[in-house]
């Protein structure tokens, strides 16, 4: 299992566009991706689920990645997060 | 009349005003009675086909509006495409179909469920997304109803007068299908200056009122068909305006139209002062298609083609052929007018995934523009080959310039790379423009201070006043806390500009300026007096600046060092 956290820097939080880009990055891997923010958790491969986290600037997202390609997936998702939120 | 309806306040978009009849556009799609009985499996197939068609249509809308109104305004279609294909949405629809709903009913119910979920969110942006679900449902229902053929947009009422289109929130796909020639303005109950309606209104040059108080479905029904006066400058919608109010607005609008019309008359006039000083007034463009607009508005050419736009929003860099075609397209659109291509200015705030650049602590001072190109030679060479081939095809028209040069060796290395590319092309028997103009951007204090050193190697300079201001004054424009300090008319910046112009003039070259400063009519005279030969502005600013240039008479004498032409009025208070 791989885990990492990301603090949201974008002033709009996890809005539609970045959520879509993160979900697309997650879908490129077979590992299961869960994203938690506060009390809520979401399937990292689902756009609306990610948006429903209601995560805002300054919130911390906790990524948990489990599966055969978890190392590469964690790496890709971390980079994607840096780029888009 | 009920006093409540006399006038409605909100946030005005634009300076204009419009008179027209009020029409409320309801967002909710209608559910048609299904005549045909289908099995749940058949309904699911219908839904999945409609989903695929909607996705394709939205992708096409995205691509189309991206070049028409820009990335920011177009993004909504990309988002809608993602939502329409979303698994949660799909699961909800399929579950309803399994329970016996038709595809249409299931789509609307699923969208309602999601909209309700988002309406309860704390975040204002996410609450606003509720409207998107209804829009996506409407699109899917249109496709289902018409089996994919019709557009299904509700027609506008058949009134002779212009229509002031009102809605709780206007969705992009609602507005995309409307006959815009009949619409005089927009009013929405929801929305902000950044909403789709506001962006659309700006791009159409129509007045709008967003976030209008008291505008709900009930009020709107009472207003249907009534005459209204939309005054964006005042942020007000007046119902049943008096004849005096109407006359005042008509006069104001006529004056505004006359001013704009008068500017259109300048399209074919030269950018020349009354005293006969002719400058080049050029356009800044991103994509090649914008060169048409520049040419149509009478630009003397393109003073800045931001080639990085070809590199953004994709998974791999554009190849040589694609770039070659893009540069040729832009050049052809300009006829025989100048096209200055700036080599890739990427890095810092403009990122491309495929370059795999690590995040930087301080991107404005990081690996960007020419620094990146010199560090990634293969990337740089592909672009230089494309530019040189386009220049060979259209000799004398295309110029190349290098961004973010700070030190002489950077310019030397860039020029050496260019010469190698030209030599390769020559060996391969490709036509090469032997006299292609080579210039550089002046956007750091270092470049301006060493302008004398750089000048002999350049045919021209182009001053990037935004970066020059940021680096000279140590102010990050994106940082609201200090943005007011980013005064590009600061004496320090102007001193560097004057020095830059003098340096290139000394060797017979010309000096352009392509930042925001070029589009500030209050600075035009000062810039001309400092010897700026070319101003490059966004196409929409061309005529306003040309009008200003043509008002200028004799320029103040600037040669004496003791009497600088700028003064303390440019200092921030």
């Amino acid at each position: 299992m791989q885990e990492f956290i990301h603090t949201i820097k974008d002033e709009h939080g996890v809005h539609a566009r970045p959520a879509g880009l993160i979900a697309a990055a997650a879908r490129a891997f077979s590992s299961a991706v869960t994203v938690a923010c506060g009390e809520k958790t979401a399937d990292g491969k689902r756009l609306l689920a990610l948006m429903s986290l209601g995560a805002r600037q300054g919130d911390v997202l906790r990524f948990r990645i489990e599966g055969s390609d978890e190392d590469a997936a964690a790496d890709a998702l971390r980079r994607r997060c840096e780029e888009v939120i | 009349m009920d006093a409540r309806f006399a006038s409605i306040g909100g946030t005005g978009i634009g300076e204009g005003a419009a008179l027209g009849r009020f029409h409320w556009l309801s967002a909710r799609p209608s559910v048609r009675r299904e005549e045909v009985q289908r099995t749940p499996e058949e309904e699911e197939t219908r839904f999945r086909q409609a989903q695929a068609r909607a996705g394709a249509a939205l992708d096409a809308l995205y691509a189309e509006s991206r070049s028409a109104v820009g990335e920011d305004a177009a993004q909504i279609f990309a988002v809608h495409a993602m939502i329409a294909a979303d698994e949660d949405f799909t699961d909800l629809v399929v579950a309803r179909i399994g329970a016996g709903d038709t595809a249409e009913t299931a789509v609307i119910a699923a969208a309602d469920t999601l909209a309700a979920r988002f309406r309860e969110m704390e975040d204002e942006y996410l609450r606003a997304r509720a409207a998107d679900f209804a829009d996506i449902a409407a699109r899917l229902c249109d496709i289902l109803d018409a089996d994919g053929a019709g557009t299904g947009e509700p027609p506008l009422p058949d009134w002779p007068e212009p229509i002031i289109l009102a809605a709780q929130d206007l969705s992009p796909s609602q507005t995309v299908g409307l006959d815009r020639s009949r619409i005089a303005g927009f009013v929405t109950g929801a929305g902000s200056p950044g909403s789709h309606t506001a962006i659309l209104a700006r791009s159409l040059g129509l007045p709008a009122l967003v976030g209008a108080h008291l505008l709900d479905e009930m009020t709107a029904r009472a207003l249907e068909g009534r005459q209204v006066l939309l005054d964006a400058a005042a942020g007000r919608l007046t119902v049943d305006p008096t004849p005096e109010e109407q006359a005042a607005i008509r006069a104001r609008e006529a004056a505004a139209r006359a001013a704009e019309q008068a500017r259109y008359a300048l399209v074919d006039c030269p950018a020349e002062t009354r005293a006969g000083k002719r400058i080049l007034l050029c356009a800044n463009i991103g994509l090649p298609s914008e060169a048409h607009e520049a040419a149509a508005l009478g630009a003397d050419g393109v003073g800045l083609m931001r080639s990085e736009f070809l590199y953004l929003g994709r998974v791999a860099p554009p190849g040589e052929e694609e770039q070659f075609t893009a540069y040729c397209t832009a050049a052809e659109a300009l006829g025989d007018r100048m096209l200055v291509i700036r080599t890739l200015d990427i890095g810092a705030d403009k990122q491309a995934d495929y370059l795999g650049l690590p995040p930087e602590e301080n991107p404005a001072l990081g690996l960007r523009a020419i620094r990146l190109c010199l560090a990634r030679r293969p990337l740089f060479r592909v672009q230089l080959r494309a530019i040189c081939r386009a220049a060979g095809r259209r000799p004398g028209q295309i110029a190349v310039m290098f961004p973010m040069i700070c030190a002489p060796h950077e310019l030397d290395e860039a020029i050496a790379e260019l010469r190698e590319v030209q030599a390769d092309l020559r060996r391969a028997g490709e036509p090469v423009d032997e006299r292609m103009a080579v210039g550089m951007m002046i956007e750091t204090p270092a470049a301006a201070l060493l302008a004398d050193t750089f000048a002999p190697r350049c045919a021209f300079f182009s001053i990037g006043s935004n970066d020059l201001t940021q680096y000279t004054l140590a102010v990050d424009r994106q940082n609201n806390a200090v943005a007011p300090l980013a005064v590009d008319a600061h004496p320090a910046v102007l001193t560097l500009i004057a020095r830059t112009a003098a340096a290139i003039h000394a060797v017979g070259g010309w000096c352009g300026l392509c930042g925001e400063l070029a589009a500030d009519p209050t600075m035009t005279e000062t810039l001309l007096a400092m010897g700026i030969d070319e101003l490059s502005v966004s196409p929409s600013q061309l005529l306003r600046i040309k009008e200003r240039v043509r008002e200028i008479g004799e320029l103040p004498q600037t040669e004496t060092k003791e009497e600088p032409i700028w003064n303390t009025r440019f200092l921030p208070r």
Side-chain angles (χ1 to χ4, degrees):
Chain A
M1 189 179 69
Q2 281 281 333
E3 279 184 306
F4 71 89
I5 59 166
H6 176 81
T7 308
I8 298 167
K9 293 181 267 299
D10 191 290
E11 58 171 325
H12 300 298
V14 184
H15 55 110
R17 182 76 170 162
L21 290 169
I22 290 168
R27 277 199 295 269
F29 297 95
S30 65
S31 296
V33 178
T34 9
V35 185
C37 178
E39 309 275 275
K40 298 180 184 170
T41 56
D43 180 343
K45 300 186 179 188
R46 294 182 167 217
L47 162 73
L48 292 175
L50 283 173
M51 284 170 70
S52 302
L53 289 173
R56 298 165 166 205
Q57 187 175 32
D59 285 352
V60 174
L61 297 179
R62 300 186 305 282
F63 282 76
R64 175 176 297 178
I65 302 126
E66 224 169 340
S68 55
D69 51 6
E70 59 189 28
D71 292 345
D75 216 43
L77 283 166
R78 197 183 291 121
R79 253 184 293 123
R80 183 55 61 91
C81 287
E82 286 295 336
E83 288 158 10
V84 300
I85 44 170
Chain B
M1 193 192 87
D2 187 336
R4 188 161 67 101
F5 300 152
S7 114
I8 291 174
T11 307
I13 305 296
E15 295 294 312
L19 282 161
R21 281 176 77 175
F22 186 97
H23 172 59
W24 176 258
L25 198 65
S26 188
R28 177 161 281 276
S30 58
V31 188
R32 307 253 171 114
R33 292 282 140 245
E34 277 296 322
E35 308 280 328
V36 194
Q37 289 290 322
R38 299 190 187 87
T39 66
E41 290 72 31
E42 286 167 340
E43 290 290 355
E44 188 177 329
T45 307
R46 288 180 71 225
F47 163 66
R48 292 202 185 265
Q49 284 171 351
Q51 199 179 20
R53 285 209 192 105
L58 285 162
D59 287 345
L61 272 175
Y62 171 62
E64 188 187 312
S65 51
R66 196 166 160 221
S67 57
V69 294
E71 175 68 27
D72 284 355
Q75 264 196 14
I76 186 63
F77 295 116
V79 169
H80 277 197
M82 290 192 288
I83 294 177
D86 182 73
E87 291 171 42
D88 286 324
F89 175 61
T90 307
D91 289 352
L92 280 170
V93 174
V94 171
R96 298 285 307 221
I97 288 175
D101 278 350
T102 62
E104 286 89 341
T105 314
V107 161
I108 291 166
D112 272 349
T113 306
L114 290 171
R117 193 195 293 171
F118 274 73
R119 253 195 299 274
E120 293 190 352
M121 305 196 81
E122 238 174 280
D123 185 276
E124 193 192 338
Y125 169 84
L126 291 172
R127 276 205 305 275
R129 300 279 69 75
D132 291 337
F133 297 111
D135 191 36
I136 291 160
R139 178 177 297 282
L140 285 165
C141 287
D142 283 345
I143 293 171
L144 287 165
D145 286 350
D147 267 334
T151 64
E153 296 294 345
L156 293 171
D158 192 17
W159 297 332
E161 301 92 346
I163 290 165
I164 303 287
L165 192 68
Q168 188 48 41
D169 199 3
L170 277 171
S171 66
S173 47
Q174 262 177 315
T175 49
V176 119
L178 292 170
D179 179 1
R180 293 174 186 180
S181 65
R182 300 187 47 214
I183 298 172
F186 300 102
V187 183
T188 58
S192 61
S195 65
H196 315 318
T197 309
I199 293 166
L200 177 74
R202 277 192 212 102
S203 72
L204 295 176
L206 293 178
L209 193 69
V210 298
H213 321 304
L214 301 174
L215 188 68
D216 54 25
E217 186 119 12
M218 245 178 65
T219 317
R221 298 233 176 277
L223 294 181
E224 183 69 18
R226 298 265 280 274
Q227 180 154 68
V228 290
L229 189 169
L230 168 58
D231 186 347
R236 189 143 290 279
L237 182 82
T238 309
V239 182
D240 298 333
T242 63
E244 294 75 39
E245 284 171 327
Q246 294 186 35
I249 283 299
R250 286 213 174 88
R252 204 179 92 192
E253 283 303 286
R257 260 197 309 279
E260 178 141 345
Q261 217 53 50
R263 280 193 212 116
Y264 268 101
L266 296 177
V267 164
D268 295 319
C269 297
E272 188 176 71
T273 66
R274 285 191 286 116
K277 163 129 176 110
R278 172 79 160 92
I279 63 155
L280 289 177
L281 184 56
C282 295
N284 297 339
I285 67 168
L287 297 168
S289 52
E290 291 162 1
H292 290 281
E293 194 188 348
L297 288 167
D300 291 313
V302 163
L304 169 64
M305 178 169 181
R306 300 184 172 101
S307 64
E308 57 274 13
F309 276 73
L310 300 170
Y311 287 74
L312 297 173
R314 46 194 299 159
V315 294
E320 182 182 323
E321 286 308 314
E322 182 183 341
Q323 290 192 55
F324 169 67
T325 309
Y327 303 141
C328 288
T329 305
E332 278 157 27
L334 292 168
D336 57 358
R337 289 173 271 202
M338 173 174 86
L339 170 63
V340 180
I341 302 171
R342 175 175 73 186
T343 62
L344 188 57
D345 183 1
I346 218 161
D349 52 335
K350 293 179 217 145
Q351 285 291 353
D353 290 0
Y354 52 79
L355 293 176
L357 295 172
E360 295 180 331
E361 275 290 306
N362 205 340
L365 306 182
L367 186 66
R368 57 172 288 203
I370 199 70
R371 301 169 180 180
L372 176 69
C373 287
L374 293 177
R376 302 276 181 95
R377 295 298 175 107
L379 183 77
F380 193 33
R381 282 183 78 89
V382 167
Q383 178 169 45
L384 290 178
R385 276 183 67 91
I387 294 173
C388 290
R389 282 176 57 205
R393 175 76 65 87
R394 304 182 68 85
Q397 185 185 5
I398 294 177
V400 63
M401 76 177 165
F402 302 115
M404 276 295 286
I405 300 273
C406 287
H409 74 85
E410 290 169 324
L411 179 63
D412 291 344
E413 284 179 45
I415 293 177
E417 196 75 49
L418 178 75
R419 298 298 172 224
E420 272 179 44
V421 164
Q422 286 177 321
D424 282 351
L425 289 172
R426 226 175 273 123
R427 274 193 294 276
E430 289 261 5
V432 168
D433 181 3
E434 304 292 345
R435 300 174 59 191
M436 177 170 72
V438 178
M440 63 179 264
M441 300 276 296
I442 300 285
E443 39 192 347
T444 62
L449 291 167
L450 289 188
D452 289 331
T453 310
F454 288 118
R457 304 170 217 204
C458 293
F460 65 93
F461 285 152
S462 185
I463 297 166
S465 60
N466 302 356
D467 271 333
L468 185 60
T469 302
Q470 149 162 306
Y471 293 129
T472 305
L473 304 182
V475 168
D476 178 358
R477 270 172 194 267
Q478 311 302 327
N479 180 345
N480 283 335
V482 294
L485 299 176
V487 180
D488 40 20
H490 189 290
V493 179
L494 294 181
T495 304
L496 292 175
I497 292 174
R499 187 186 179 106
T500 301
I504 195 82
H505 287 161
V507 297
W510 55 270
C511 189
L513 193 145
C514 60
E516 305 274 331
L517 195 54
D520 178 353
T522 67
M523 289 302 296
T524 309
E525 185 168 11
T526 305
L527 293 174
L528 263 55
M530 290 196 300
I532 295 296
D533 306 287
E534 182 239 26
L535 292 171
S536 197
V537 300
S538 74
S540 63
Q541 303 295 318
L542 281 166
L543 294 176
R544 215 160 57 95
I545 295 300
K546 190 188 278 186
E547 181 180 50
R548 177 68 197 121
V549 168
R550 293 174 60 83
E551 286 165 3
I552 296 172
E554 284 296 338
L555 291 169
Q557 194 50 252
T558 60
E559 301 308 318
T560 52
K561 287 235 159 74
E562 303 77 42
E563 285 271 352
I565 50 93
W566 55 87
N567 59 40
T568 50
R569 82 190 162 90
F570 299 126
L571 278 169
R573 277 176 224 275

